[in-house]
Amino acid sequence: MTKVYHAVLARGGEPKSPAKPCFWGAHPPGSLPGTTKLGPVKASPQSQLRLLELADLDAELARLDHRRRNMPEAAELGRLEARAGELKDALVVTETELGDLAREQSRAERDVDQVRTRIDRDRARLDAGQVSAARELASLQSEIESLRRRQGDLEEIVLELMERREGLVSRQDELSAERDSLGVETAEVTARRDAAAKEIHEQTTEASDQRSGVAAEVPADLLALYEQIRDSRGVGAAALRAGRCEGCHLTLNTVDLNQIRASAPDEVLRCEECRRILVRTPESGL
């Protein structure tokens, strides 16, 4: 059965629940082992209603903090930065391969030039009639044919290297274009993130200022109790609306409601189910 009792400002522990629904009366200091007890907290109905404003502002501040820590723009920037890193690595690999390929192509072209020079020299000897012996002539013609085959093979290698280079250059252009596009997108997302962060900061500042103003109007002992409960429960106070605690959404029974009706307006009550301060309002159903 739900029990509602006088709110007791407690540090380091909570009083044990009574066997049946009732309100806790005043406890002298140190009445429970290991705890420091004050008398029941009392506050005007107006001060108690201010707790609901505090609870709303605290909920708004928590929402803003969650939004700040989970901005979609931040996640998107993380994805873009990761992709930018991948592109940077891919460009380094591509540029390295292009460098290696350029050196290999230069070597192959030098080999072609050397073979072509030898062919031209041998052809010049042959055309000039400098070789008259049949065996030497046949040997020279055989060398020229062999050099031509070698030249063809080397030229095939050069062509293959040129094709590979063309593919790598195309890949490099694609990566560079994506990198540039990514830079533009990153700048846009960064601008959106900064705008969202500025808006959140402004709203947080406004809500914090409002909270400070409301808190200043709440009696110190009531505020201390509210803060203690908020630290442990997340929400320090809840309204009693239509016979239901808005903190734990539990509907109170007739016995509990009768006890609340019998309580003085300045008595600060707590829902024993969720242990939040239970604030009576015109909509409480009393």
Side-chain angles (χ1 to χ4, degrees), residues 197-212:
K198 180 182 178 182
E199 178 185 357
I200 292 171
H201 176 72
E202 292 173 349
Q203 293 178 357
T204 298
T205 300
E206 181 181 358
S208 296
D209 291 343
Q210 292 178 4
R211 188 190 192 282
S212 297

Side-chain angles (χ1 to χ4, degrees), residues 92-252:
V92 169
V93 171
T94 302
E95 290 168 359
T96 301
E97 290 179 353
L98 278 171
D100 294 341
L101 195 61
R103 287 187 290 272
E104 188 176 351
Q105 183 177 338
S106 295
R107 285 194 299 269
E109 288 174 345
R110 285 196 301 269
D111 291 342
V112 170
D113 289 340
Q114 290 174 359
V115 171
R116 185 180 296 117
T117 299
R118 290 180 60 184
I119 292 174
D120 292 342
R121 183 188 61 196
D122 290 346
R123 286 297 308 173
R125 288 181 62 196
L126 192 63
D127 293 341
Q130 297 177 358
V131 179
S132 56
R135 177 177 290 184
E136 186 179 357
L137 181 62
S139 176
L140 186 59
Q141 290 175 335
S142 176
E143 181 181 354
I144 291 174
E145 290 300 321
S146 177
L147 288 172
R148 282 176 175 170
R149 288 194 297 271
R150 175 62 175 161
Q151 179 183 354
D153 293 341
L154 289 173
E155 287 175 346
E156 286 292 331
I157 292 174
V158 171
L159 288 174
E160 180 184 348
L161 293 173
M162 291 176 64
E163 290 175 356
R164 287 173 57 191
R165 183 180 184 281
E166 183 179 346
L168 284 173
V169 169
S170 177
R171 172 66 174 160
Q172 185 183 42
D173 291 342
E174 291 175 359
L175 292 172
S176 297
E178 184 179 355
R179 178 195 58 192
D180 295 342
S181 175
L182 200 68
V184 174
E185 186 178 359
T186 298
E188 294 174 350
V189 175
T190 299
R192 292 203 307 271
R193 181 204 60 187
D194 293 345
K198 180 182 178 182
E199 178 185 357
I200 292 171
H201 176 72
E202 292 173 349
Q203 293 178 357
T204 298
T205 300
E206 181 181 358
S208 296
D209 291 343
Q210 292 178 4
R211 188 190 192 282
S212 297
V214 173
E217 299 178 6
V218 178
D221 56 349
L222 181 61
L223 181 61
L225 178 60
Y226 171 85
E227 296 290 7
Q228 176 184 320
I229 298 171
R230 185 170 73 91
D231 287 344
S232 62
R233 301 284 173 172
V235 178
L240 176 64
R241 183 170 289 112
R244 186 179 74 166
C245 171
E246 292 297 296
C248 59
H249 304 293
L250 187 70
T251 299
L252 280 65

Side-chain angles (χ1 to χ4, degrees), residues 11-25:
R11 298 285 184 184
E14 296 287 348
K16 297 179 180 179
S17 301
K20 61 181 180 178
C22 68
F23 293 107
W24 285 88

